[in-house]
């Protein structure tokens, strides 16, 4: 019986995390859910937010945006468009990016563009919060 | 017979050319490694994405209400060809081969009476297609000002393409690029990305995981997930292809420049031989002149 969960977090550019952990809490579109070893197969989309990796008494917080989580008997795979480990964030850069995203949202011509900009803004706000906490 | 000074000038000019090609070869080798690493790092994402989308779509296909991005519009009247080439030349037949592949397809489609639209990514492809098919090019994109290819570029491109699809501007989209076999070989390839179902069937990564009899829980519904994932799948395909193409470009440039350096070396050897021969001939002539002059006295 596997008592560890195989977890990997992948973004288009690289594999951010890959390894055996105790538990992962994923921000699903319909609410956060925790994944323990031997979880039933599940597919869920994710919303911008915190993903928490629990390993022993350590907790790593990762901010993710856009994508998808899949649980199979082999483990949990999260495909995210963007991911940032909370302790590696730079508050100034985020503030700048938020500024840009706000302007984008205001300048958007179509609903679709506005939606994208809004989505991005939401993600950045979560990032900012994360940076403050770290 | 060229004079000695002419020969000397030619030798030094070929030597400086050789220095340039040598430097370009080394730069390309360094960039190639970087590009390969980037492509390698992007592989897990695109592979996982392909697998998940393939699984989802397998159970969705055939059902009414499957998204058009997946199954297509049901017709194939208007084709969008996305021709991905480099922004710079001096990389052997790399660009020409991709363009030739695309051109063959254009001819074929036109013979069948289809409408063809072309989107070029990379300046060289646009340059080569402009003469024959200038009026078919709907979009020219240059990545020249981008330092490196990141996911953002692919997301923008993917969005542009899916927006065009949703606006009904085309039925089928095919990418033309060079598949990176190894440093020396890049195979020009055409790959359909919309409808996505076609590209999924070519993907060998599309293998279902063993659920040991259990059934997936979908959150939210299966359809919503698929709708959310399909554009991302297309983006990841574009991204991976761009990376692969970039690696291919550097590989092609490296071997082209290696050849050029070698040719320059041979040319220098030949010219030096000529130079020495004429120099000796000149000395001999001078000697004969002096000796016959002395004898005449």
């Amino acid at each position: 019986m596997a008592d560890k969960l195989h977890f990997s977090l992948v973004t288009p550019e690289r594999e951010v995390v890959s390894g055996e952990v105790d538990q992962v809490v994923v921000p699903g579109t319909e609410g956060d859910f925790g994944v323990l070893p031997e979880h039933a197969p599940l597919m869920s989309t994710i919303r911008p937010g915190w993903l928490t990796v629990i390993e022993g008494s350590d907790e790593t917080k990762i901010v993710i945006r856009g994508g998808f989580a899949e649980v199979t008997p082999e483990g949990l795979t999260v495909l995210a468009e963007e991911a940032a480990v909370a302790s590696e964030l730079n508050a100034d850069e985020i503030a700048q990016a938020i500024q840009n995203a706000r302007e984008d949202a205001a300048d958007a011509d179509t609903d679709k563009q506005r939606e994208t900009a809004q989505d991005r803004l939401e993600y950045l706000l979560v990032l900012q919060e994360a940076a403050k906490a770290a | 017979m060229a004079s000695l000074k002419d020969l000397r000038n030619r030798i030094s000019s070929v030597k400086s050319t050789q220095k340039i090609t040598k430097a370009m070869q080394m730069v390309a080798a360094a960039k190639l490694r970087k590009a390969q690493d980037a492509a390698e790092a992007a592989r897990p994402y695109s592979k996982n994405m392909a697998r998940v989308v393939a699984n989802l779509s397998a159970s969705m296909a055939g059902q009414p209400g499957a998204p058009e991005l997946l199954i297509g519009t049901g017709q194939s009247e208007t084709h969008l060809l996305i021709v991905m080439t480099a922004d710079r030349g001096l990389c052997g037949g790399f660009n020409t081969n991709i363009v030739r592949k695309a051109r063959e397809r254009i001819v074929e489609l036109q013979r069948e009476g289809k409408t063809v639209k072309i989107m070029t990514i990379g300046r060289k492809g646009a340059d080569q297609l402009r003469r024959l098919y200038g009026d078919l090019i709907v979009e020219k994109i240059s990545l020249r000002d981008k330092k490196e290819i990141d996911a953002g570029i692919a997301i923008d491109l993917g969005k542009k393409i899916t927006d065009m699809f949703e606006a009904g501007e085309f039925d089928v989209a095919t990418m033309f690029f060079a598949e990176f076999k190894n440093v020396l070989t890049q195979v020009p390839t055409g790959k359909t990305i919309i409808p996505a179902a076609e590209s999924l069937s070519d993907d060998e990564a599309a293998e279902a995981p063993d659920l040991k009899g259990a059934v997936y829980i979908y959150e939210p519904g299966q359809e919503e997930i698929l709708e959310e994932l399909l554009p991302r799948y297309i983006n990841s395909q574009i991204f991976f292809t761009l990376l692969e193409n970039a690696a291919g470009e550097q590989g092609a440039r490296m071997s082209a420049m290696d050849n050029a350096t070698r040719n320059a070396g041979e040319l220098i050897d030949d010219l030096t031989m000529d130079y020495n021969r004429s120099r000796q001939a000149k000395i001999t002539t001078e000697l004969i002149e002096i000796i016959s002059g002395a004898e005449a006295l």
Side-chain angles (χ1 to χ4, degrees):
Chain A
M1 275 314 204
D3 47 358
K4 288 269 183 184
L5 172 73
H6 183 80
F7 168 61
S8 64
L9 172 62
V10 194
T11 68
E13 273 145 13
R14 66 201 173 103
E15 196 161 40
V16 183
V17 183
S18 173
E20 308 291 319
V21 299
D22 288 327
Q23 188 192 348
V24 181
V25 181
V26 185
T29 339
E30 310 213 316
D32 291 6
F33 57 89
V35 181
L36 288 162
E38 302 283 314
H39 193 286
L42 168 95
M43 280 194 194
S44 171
T45 47
I46 50 183
R47 63 181 161 78
W50 300 77
L51 179 141
T52 315
V53 183
I54 301 166
E55 165 66 36
S57 55
D58 287 347
E59 271 190 25
T60 318
K61 293 215 174 231
I62 303 170
V63 183
I64 55 174
R65 184 183 74 89
F68 172 84
E70 183 196 31
V71 185
T72 62
E74 276 91 62
L76 167 69
T77 310
V78 177
L79 301 181
E81 216 140 79
E82 285 183 66
V85 179
S87 52
E88 292 170 3
L89 293 172
N90 178 340
D92 293 342
E93 273 173 29
I94 299 166
Q96 181 61 41
I98 290 180
Q99 183 80 19
N100 291 344
R102 284 230 166 86
E103 281 164 17
D104 282 353
D107 294 345
D109 303 322
T110 62
D111 281 348
K112 215 162 180 185
Q113 276 179 12
R114 195 166 307 121
E115 217 173 271
T116 329
Q118 208 63 50
D119 192 40
R120 168 128 195 100
L121 189 60
E122 225 171 276
Y123 167 68
L124 288 167
L125 288 173
V126 178
L127 269 186
Q128 194 174 41
E129 217 174 280
K132 271 188 204 138
Chain B
M1 189 85 197
S3 77
L4 283 182
K5 189 165 163 45
D6 286 345
L7 277 173
R8 248 193 332 258
N9 285 344
R10 274 203 69 192
I11 291 174
S12 74
S13 123
V14 176
K15 265 188 183 154
S16 46
T17 309
Q18 190 189 30
K19 263 181 209 148
I20 295 170
T21 57
K22 181 91 197 159
M24 281 184 79
Q25 185 210 335
M26 290 194 291
V27 171
K31 282 189 179 166
L32 170 68
R33 178 159 319 153
K34 237 176 103 186
Q36 268 179 311
D37 287 349
E40 210 46 59
R43 201 185 296 272
Y45 184 84
S46 95
K47 225 174 133 176
N48 272 312
M49 195 56 117
R51 186 176 49 79
V52 170
V53 173
N55 287 341
L56 274 172
S57 53
S59 54
M60 287 288 295
Q63 284 180 34
E68 285 197 334
L69 271 179
L70 177 68
I71 52 163
T73 53
Q75 49 188 6
S76 65
E77 277 318 300
T78 313
H79 286 247
L80 178 73
L81 305 188
I82 305 159
V83 183
M84 297 179 171
T85 54
D87 271 307
R88 290 156 200 274
L90 287 179
C91 43
F94 180 78
N95 293 318
T96 320
N97 288 342
I98 299 172
V99 170
R100 185 183 304 133
K101 183 91 186 169
R103 218 159 41 203
E104 281 164 11
R105 184 84 180 125
I106 294 171
V107 171
E108 194 181 311
L109 286 170
Q110 282 183 333
R111 204 185 307 125
E112 289 168 16
K114 315 268 191 207
T115 316
V116 178
K117 289 181 180 176
I118 304 172
M119 175 190 262
T120 59
I121 299 172
R123 218 164 44 89
K124 285 289 158 186
D127 289 349
Q128 292 189 19
L129 286 169
R130 194 170 42 207
R131 204 157 27 89
L132 276 165
Y133 301 107
D135 46 334
L136 300 180
I137 298 179
V138 288
E139 185 93 47
K140 278 186 221 171
I141 295 164
S142 168
L143 301 179
R144 208 171 185 179
D145 48 343
K146 304 281 197 288
K147 248 192 177 149
E148 50 191 53
I149 295 162
D150 56 33
I153 299 175
I155 291 170
D156 289 347
L157 281 173
K159 208 170 142 29
K160 204 170 259 173
I161 294 166
T162 43
D163 281 353
M164 279 174 78
F165 180 74
E166 271 157 22
E169 288 181 40
F170 66 86
D171 302 310
V172 179
T174 313
M175 291 192 291
F176 288 89
F177 62 100
E179 193 189 336
F180 187 88
K181 287 272 184 218
N182 57 47
V183 178
L184 293 175
T185 358
Q186 296 88 29
V187 185
T189 318
K191 187 174 181 188
T192 309
I193 51 167
I194 298 175
E198 261 179 65
S199 82
L200 284 169
S201 56
D202 313 336
D203 247 318
E204 72 277 9
E207 197 183 295
D210 180 15
L211 295 188
K212 306 197 171 89
V215 186
Y216 274 117
I217 307 166
Y218 293 102
E219 221 175 280
Q222 209 171 345
E223 220 164 295
E224 286 88 343
I225 294 181
L226 190 57
E227 232 151 75
E228 161 117 24
L229 282 190
L230 270 177
R232 293 191 205 283
Y233 167 70
I234 289 165
N235 291 348
S236 84
Q237 288 285 301
I238 294 173
F239 181 53
F240 191 64
T241 308
L242 281 175
L243 288 175
E244 199 175 350
N245 223 23
E249 177 196 341
Q250 298 305 340
R253 178 165 299 127
M254 197 177 93
S255 51
M257 288 301 118
D258 186 40
N259 271 336
T261 309
R262 200 159 337 123
N263 286 343
E266 273 168 29
L267 195 55
I268 289 172
D269 286 349
D270 286 353
L271 285 172
T272 315
M273 183 77 91
D274 276 355
Y275 174 75
N276 288 339
R277 201 169 282 148
S278 354
R279 194 173 58 94
Q280 273 174 339
K282 201 177 153 204
I283 293 169
T284 318
T285 329
E286 269 172 18
L287 275 177
I288 291 174
E289 273 166 11
I290 294 168
I291 293 164
S292 25
E295 263 174 9
L297 281 178

